[in-house]
């Protein structure tokens, strides 16, 4: 089932060369943070290029529930009139974050040090995901929580009335956990310190600094030590959201595997904590270039040019790169299916607790389409079949996971037989224009009964 309505089955058929310009939507991570930090500022934040996917719309609605005024002006332009750090009102309704782990975990952090009680829920995918990774560190501030067995949503949090700042070492590589602790630290007096052994996406740190918080990051032998001074007055900002590298991954990877393709994906944020996929693809022999490299809003940005790459080779992806491409392994496994040799992906246990168990979802679907996949608890290996040799023909389950749905639709663009997806509805959470954008490039995706 789609998160909001009936399933939307789709089929992807082999197509001719993909060509043209793919203007992908705004970055999902930065969009959530723009709304939340805007709501925690005093005054009006204005945002252009906001991703208007369901995940972000659910965060916008949640911010209204806490008392912020969030207004849509059309064409990706939004304003947020915030209530200030510590100014969140108690919502009179349950906060429904839909499919979004980022939404719920960041919002839990943002409310955790205010004396309010909030009940959170989501769709079947989100209600199956672990929340103790966030509520455990929030308990150190004095936040109480009660949820379902295994720390699952629906869950109620009672914010700490007299929060104390914490020092916390994040036990799993997770930007969501790191960000939840930092957002909670905003309303605690004194210094909150977060230590992460592996660098994860650093948008929260960059944006907190941009909004005027006192925050420092030190690289040490044990990892990144982030120190935030609590109870700042955040100043409203003008934010231009860069286009999402995680969405760019789909037209880029499609162009690499469809013969004759040449696609330009302009204005992509290439923050090093996000760009691991593109480095990996280049190591595999992809014809992928960065054009017009520049800086926008403090983030490195470039236009990506991807062309059909006939000589892709399987590689061993360095495990230390995992955090910088964690959302891109599903579509990487599709490209790996068309490479020569094995692509080995290790150190990726986190893939098992995303919107779906992404290793399992991809392994089952790829095998059904004629690709050999081996897997273990925190690793998987795809044995490529080379171009023109991937059979296709199967129906794949998307498990309420947008990236699984899009990955299998990309697969079908270069297989011998069409690939079917049982429910492509979840794509609307992150990439609502995926279908028309891919059609414009030349893809043959049809809505069909699978
Ligand atoms: C995100 C962090 C990552 C990523 C998610 C977005 C964020 O999750 O998978 O899509 O915006 O902070 P984890 O923190 O669970 O790794």
């Amino acid at each position: 089932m789609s998160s909001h309505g009936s399933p939307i089955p789709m089929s992807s058929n082999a197509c001719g060369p993909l060509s043209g310009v793919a203007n992908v939507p705004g970055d999902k991570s930065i969009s959530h943070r723009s709304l939340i930090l805007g709501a925690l500022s005093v005054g009006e934040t204005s945002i252009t290029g906001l991703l208007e996917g369901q995940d972000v719309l659910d965060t916008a609605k949640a911010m209204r529930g806490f008392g912020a005024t969030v207004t849509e002006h059309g064409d990706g332009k939004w304003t947020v009139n915030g209530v200030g750090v510590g100014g969140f009102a108690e919502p009179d309704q349950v906060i429904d974050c839909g499919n979004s782990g980022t939404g719920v975990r960041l919002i839990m952090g943002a409310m955790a040090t205010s004396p309010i009680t909030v009940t959170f829920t989501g769709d079947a995918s989100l209600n199956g995901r672990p929340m103790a990774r966030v509520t455990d560190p929030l308990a150190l501030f004095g936040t109480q929580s009660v949820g379902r067995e295994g720390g699952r949503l629906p869950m109620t949090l009672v914010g700490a009335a007299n929060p104390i700042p914490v020092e916390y070492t994040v036990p799993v590589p997770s930007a969501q956990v790191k960000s939840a602790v930092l957002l909670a630290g905003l309303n605690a007096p004194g210094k909150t310190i977060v230590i992460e052994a592996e660098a994860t996406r650093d948008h929260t740190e960059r944006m907190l600094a941009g909004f005027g918080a006192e925050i420092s990051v030190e690289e040490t032998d044990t990892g990144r030590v982030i120190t935030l001074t609590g109870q700042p007055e955040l100043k409203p900002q003008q934010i231009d959201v860069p286009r999402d590298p995680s969405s760019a991954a789909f037209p880029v990877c499609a162009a690499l595997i469809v013969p004759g393709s040449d696609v330009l994906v302009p204005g992509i944020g290439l923050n090093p904590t996000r760009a691991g996929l593109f480095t990996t693809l280049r190591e595999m022999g992809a014809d992928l270039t960065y054009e017009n490299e520049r800086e926008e809003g403090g983030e490195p940005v470039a236009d990506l040019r991807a062309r059909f790459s006939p000589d892709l080779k399987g590689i061993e992806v360095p495990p230390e790169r995992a955090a910088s491409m964690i959302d891109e392994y599903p579509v990487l496994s599709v490209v790996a299916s068309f490479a020569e040799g094995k692509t080995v992906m290790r150190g990726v246990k986190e893939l098992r607790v995303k919107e779906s168990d992404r290793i399992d979802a991809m392994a089952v679907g790829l095998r059904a389409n004629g690709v050999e996949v081996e897997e273990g608890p925190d690793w998987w290996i795809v044995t490529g079949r080379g171009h023109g040799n991937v059979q296709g023909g199967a129906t794949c389950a998307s498990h309420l996971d947008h990236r699984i749905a899009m990955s299998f639709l990309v697969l079908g663009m270069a297989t011998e037989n069409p690939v079917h997806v049982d429910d492509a509805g979840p794509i609307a959470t992150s990439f609502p224009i995926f279908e028309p954008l891919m059609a414009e490039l030349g893809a043959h995706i049809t809505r069909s009964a699978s």
Side-chain angles (χ1 to χ4, degrees):
M1 277 281 286
S2 222
S3 39
H4 298 272
S6 318
I8 304 175
M10 286 190 194
S11 299
S12 180
N13 307 270
C15 55
L18 298 171
S19 66
V21 177
N23 281 314
V24 303
D27 189 283
K28 183 150 70 73
S29 294
I30 296 176
S31 294
H32 282 295
R33 287 161 173 80
S34 301
L35 293 169
I36 295 169
L37 290 175
L40 291 170
S41 305
V42 179
E44 183 167 289
T45 286
S46 73
I47 309 166
T48 58
L50 188 84
L51 167 63
E52 293 173 348
Q54 192 57 46
D55 278 8
V56 176
L57 298 179
D58 288 335
T59 289
K61 189 171 172 210
M63 290 305 105
R64 291 188 186 113
F66 288 103
T69 305
V70 183
T71 313
E72 182 188 352
H73 301 275
D75 279 342
K77 186 166 188 295
W78 291 63
T79 50
V80 182
N81 278 278
V83 293
V85 168
F88 269 9
E90 185 168 272
D92 55 13
Q93 297 290 337
V94 169
I95 297 294
D96 185 347
C97 290
N99 190 251
S100 181
T102 306
V104 76
R105 291 181 176 135
L106 269 56
I107 296 168
M108 282 179 170
M111 60 70 50
T113 46
S114 292
I116 55 175
T117 298
V118 183
T119 300
F120 294 92
T121 193
D123 69 5
S125 157
L126 189 59
N127 288 0
R129 296 179 68 185
M131 294 298 144
R133 54 176 53 200
V134 170
T135 53
D136 285 351
L138 295 183
L140 304 174
F141 288 96
T143 311
Q144 295 171 288
S145 61
V146 55
R148 286 192 307 135
E149 185 269 321
R152 321 260 153 185
L153 301 177
M155 184 174 257
T156 297
L157 267 64
V158 182
N162 295 301
I164 42 167
V166 309
E167 176 171 331
Y168 188 69
T169 301
V170 185
V172 286
S174 168
Q176 292 173 359
V177 175
K178 168 179 68 177
S179 302
V181 178
L182 289 171
L183 292 173
L186 276 178
N187 199 36
K191 292 190 191 305
T192 286
I193 299 171
V194 184
I195 302 158
E196 57 175 6
E198 284 175 55
T200 61
R201 67 192 67 197
D202 63 357
H203 306 301
T204 302
E205 298 91 300
R206 287 178 188 240
M207 292 178 74
L208 277 170
F211 274 87
E214 195 183 315
I215 183 166
S216 66
V217 181
E218 201 191 336
E219 308 284 347
T220 70
D221 291 346
T222 44
R224 295 175 77 240
V225 179
I226 306 152
T227 306
L228 172 74
T229 304
Q231 301 186 324
E233 182 175 312
L234 297 183
K235 310 242 171 351
Q237 298 298 301
Q238 154 69 51
I239 300 169
D240 297 313
V241 180
R243 296 178 194 273
D244 198 327
S246 298
S247 296
F250 296 99
V252 163
C253 289
L256 302 180
I257 60 172
V258 175
S261 297
D262 185 348
V263 170
L264 186 72
V265 192
I268 299 305
L270 289 178
N271 179 316
T273 62
R274 295 289 300 282
L277 172 74
F278 306 124
T279 307
T280 301
L281 292 172
R282 297 216 271 196
E283 287 174 6
M284 293 172 77
D287 185 349
L288 173 63
T289 49
Y290 296 170
E291 297 181 357
N292 192 14
E293 288 182 60
R294 57 202 185 270
E295 222 177 74
E296 281 177 14
E299 297 268 353
V301 166
D303 304 337
L304 304 185
R305 176 159 222 142
R307 297 185 181 88
F308 173 58
S309 302
D311 299 316
L312 293 168
K313 302 265 177 292
I315 63 159
E316 173 125 20
V317 182
E320 62 274 15
R321 193 180 290 156
S324 69
M325 53 180 288
I326 196 67
D327 290 335
E328 284 66 72
Y329 282 94
V331 75
L332 173 66
S333 72
V334 169
V335 174
S337 303
F338 295 90
E340 295 288 345
K342 289 180 189 290
T343 294
V344 181
M345 297 166 278
R346 296 192 195 281
V348 289
K349 193 164 162 216
E350 281 295 296
L351 290 181
R352 297 214 177 264
V353 291
K354 294 294 178 186
E355 285 84 330
S356 67
D357 176 340
R358 286 182 169 162
I359 297 179
D360 192 60
M362 289 309 298
V364 170
L366 287 175
R367 286 184 197 125
N369 284 288
V371 180
E372 193 186 315
V373 183
E374 299 153 74
E375 61 176 293
D378 65 347
W379 60 268
W380 50 320
I381 299 172
V382 174
T383 303
R385 301 187 57 83
H387 286 291
N389 295 317
V390 183
Q391 182 192 314
T395 298
C396 306
S398 65
H399 299 282
L400 282 180
D401 188 330
H402 52 133
R403 299 198 202 284
I404 299 299
M406 288 186 279
S407 296
F408 284 124
L409 292 173
V410 169
L411 177 75
M413 294 175 198
T415 46
E416 289 163 36
N417 302 292
V419 171
H420 313 283
V421 172
D422 68 340
D423 181 14
I427 294 173
T429 61
S430 72
F431 200 161
I433 59 166
F434 176 79
E435 215 185 334
L437 180 142
M438 293 308 304
E440 182 77 27
L441 296 177
H444 291 172
I445 296 174
T446 52
R447 292 193 174 212
S448 59
S450 57

